[in-house]
Amino acid sequence: MTYLIDPDASIWPRHYLGLIERAAGSGVPVIASLNGSTAGGWTDYARAMQEAGAAAIELNIYYLPADPVVLARDNEQRYIDILTTVKAVVSIPVAVKLTPYFSSLGEMAVRLDRAGADGLVLFNRFMQTDINPDTLTVSTGFQLSRPAEATAARSWIARLRGQVHASLAASTGVETADDVAAYLLAGADVVMTTSSLLRHGAAHAAVLLDGLTAWMERKGFGDIGECRGLLAPAADAAQPSYGRSGYLSAVEQATRTYAPR
């Protein structure tokens, strides 16, 4: 409650539990999102989410390490501590929503996998703090994601496929059925979208599903399993497209495209 400015906002947690209970009654599995930044205070609410009918919990660890004197390993350990704390009090699957800002994202994913994460969600999007030069003020806010932001998440999903046991969920830049297909080809087990539904309404989910079905038919895929991870590198093989040679190829292509003639 110390984070809540409005004293009346103390009813929000109870309202959210009620929302979970009503949504779970629809017959569609509900993944409850637990947002916080410290290990304390999560366990009771996580247990309440399970009791309200959540089929799984996503740990949205909203923590941007801005203190320059805190060691990187201490910041990373925070994620492990929160995960193990919540896993100890619930029996439903628990996923961790990752930030792309770890010094070694791959190693962090493996650590969370070994600590019991049932899923990894790539990537979290933090509040976009900016500066307004006209009003001389600091502005805060959120912007909806766009397809161009999906490249980092897709490349990491491709790298992690086969390296962890946890399911891999894509969560950035999903606007069209092609975006869904690209994530599946990279190896995503799950593709999530919020921004496109906010832009176009809940009915856009059917547009994405119908578009994905049409794409699979055009490409001759009989089911999702045939295309999932098709373009992800094998775990025990070199990754030319995702490594140094891929970078050099990109530079050569950019030179041909943008160099003065």
Side-chain angles (χ1 to χ4, degrees):
M1 293 300 124
T2 58
Y3 291 99
L4 302 178
I5 299 174
D6 181 359
D8 294 332
S10 61
I11 63 174
W12 293 349
R14 294 194 296 275
H15 280 180
Y16 186 56
L17 292 175
L19 174 63
I20 294 172
E21 187 172 5
R22 295 193 303 276
S26 69
V28 177
V30 173
I31 301 175
S33 179
L34 187 54
N35 187 306
S37 61
T38 62
W42 291 66
T43 53
D44 290 343
Y45 203 58
R47 191 184 295 110
M49 285 176 160
Q50 176 174 295
E51 294 171 352
I57 291 176
E58 176 194 74
L59 299 182
N60 185 345
I61 303 174
Y62 199 91
Y63 174 68
L64 188 62
D67 190 338
V69 302
V70 177
L71 298 178
R73 209 58 170 176
D74 292 342
N75 286 322
E76 295 166 351
Q77 188 61 38
R78 177 189 296 251
Y79 281 71
I80 304 297
D81 292 344
I82 291 173
L83 170 64
T84 55
T85 298
V86 173
K87 286 281 292 184
V89 297
V90 299
S91 58
I92 56 179
V94 178
V96 180
K97 198 166 190 177
L98 293 177
T99 165
Y101 304 123
F102 291 111
S103 57
S104 179
L105 178 60
E107 191 236 5
M108 192 62 198
V110 171
R111 287 185 67 197
L112 288 165
D113 184 51
R114 291 174 178 171
D118 299 286
L120 300 174
V121 183
L122 289 75
F123 282 120
N124 205 348
R125 299 179 79 248
F126 292 110
M127 177 180 66
Q128 289 89 38
T129 303
D130 206 351
I131 290 176
N132 188 320
D134 291 326
T135 61
L136 303 180
T137 58
V138 176
S139 61
T140 59
F142 287 96
Q143 296 179 3
L144 301 181
S145 71
R146 300 192 176 277
E149 299 177 59
T151 53
R154 263 197 292 273
S155 64
W156 270 109
I157 287 173
R159 290 186 180 100
L160 292 174
R161 182 172 176 81
Q163 304 285 357
V164 295
H165 295 94
S167 297
L168 297 173
S171 176
T172 292
V174 177
E175 182 75 11
T176 69
D178 283 349
D179 299 321
V180 179
Y183 268 126
L184 291 172
L185 289 168
D189 296 293
V190 176
V191 180
M192 305 160 63
T193 183
T194 300
S195 294
S196 70
L197 302 183
L198 292 174
R199 287 193 184 99
H200 308 294
H204 190 63
V207 175
L208 295 176
L209 290 172
D210 292 343
L212 180 63
T213 300
W215 171 81
M216 291 175 60
E217 291 175 351
R218 290 197 309 272
K219 299 301 181 182
F221 294 119
D223 59 58
I224 292 294
E226 294 179 14
C227 63
R228 180 179 284 118
L230 185 63
L231 298 183
D236 56 352
Q239 303 180 13
S241 296
Y242 296 95
R244 182 69 177 176
S245 61
Y247 165 72
L248 295 176
S249 296
V251 170
E252 291 176 358
Q253 181 180 350
T255 301
R256 291 193 299 270
T257 303
Y258 301 111
R261 300 184 185 279

